[in-house]
Amino acid sequence: MAQATYDGPLIDDRAQDLVESPARRALRRLLKRKGAVFGLAVIGAFILLAILAPLVAPYDPNAQSWTAVRKPPSGLHWFGTDDLGRDALARIISARGPRSSPA
């Protein structure tokens, strides 16, 4: 039996276009899951908030105001104030630890 030789490509050019890369397949499968997309959006929003904390926080998180000690939520302090008169929203926004700060 004679051995036939073939010098052409093993996969047809049209078939090569149909082959999907692993990254594209993973992205396609991820985008099918609405819960995963929502979770990634929430995580992305928290990361963006942590990066932009100095610009977004309404007050200095460490500034004390003895006239605003333990105030309930209001138009000035959306989450209220703590025992030292510090704005709770500003402290929550800037509460990122050293793990999320750039090295």
Side-chain angles (χ1 to χ4, degrees), residues 12-79:
D12 189 18
D13 291 336
R14 288 175 284 140
Q16 191 134 18
D17 291 340
L18 298 176
V19 175
E20 192 174 32
S21 71
R24 184 172 297 261
R25 185 179 325 129
L27 180 64
R28 181 179 46 85
R29 291 177 67 189
L30 176 73
L31 292 176
K32 281 184 180 179
R33 293 176 170 83
K34 293 178 185 174
V37 173
F38 178 74
L40 280 176
V42 169
I43 290 171
F46 280 129
I47 290 172
L48 187 64
L49 183 65
I51 292 170
L52 299 175
L55 302 174
V56 177
Y59 299 101
D60 180 18
N62 295 322
Q64 298 178 3
S65 173
W66 295 107
T67 59
V69 173
R70 284 185 266 156
K71 294 288 182 183
S74 65
L76 275 169
H77 303 283
W78 287 8
F79 287 5

Side-chain angles (χ1 to χ4, degrees), residues 49-50 53-54 57 59-62 87-97 100:
L49 183 65
Y59 299 101
D60 180 18
N62 295 322
D87 185 59
L89 177 62
R91 293 188 56 80
I92 289 171
I93 290 174
S94 64
R96 59 191 173 120
S100 64

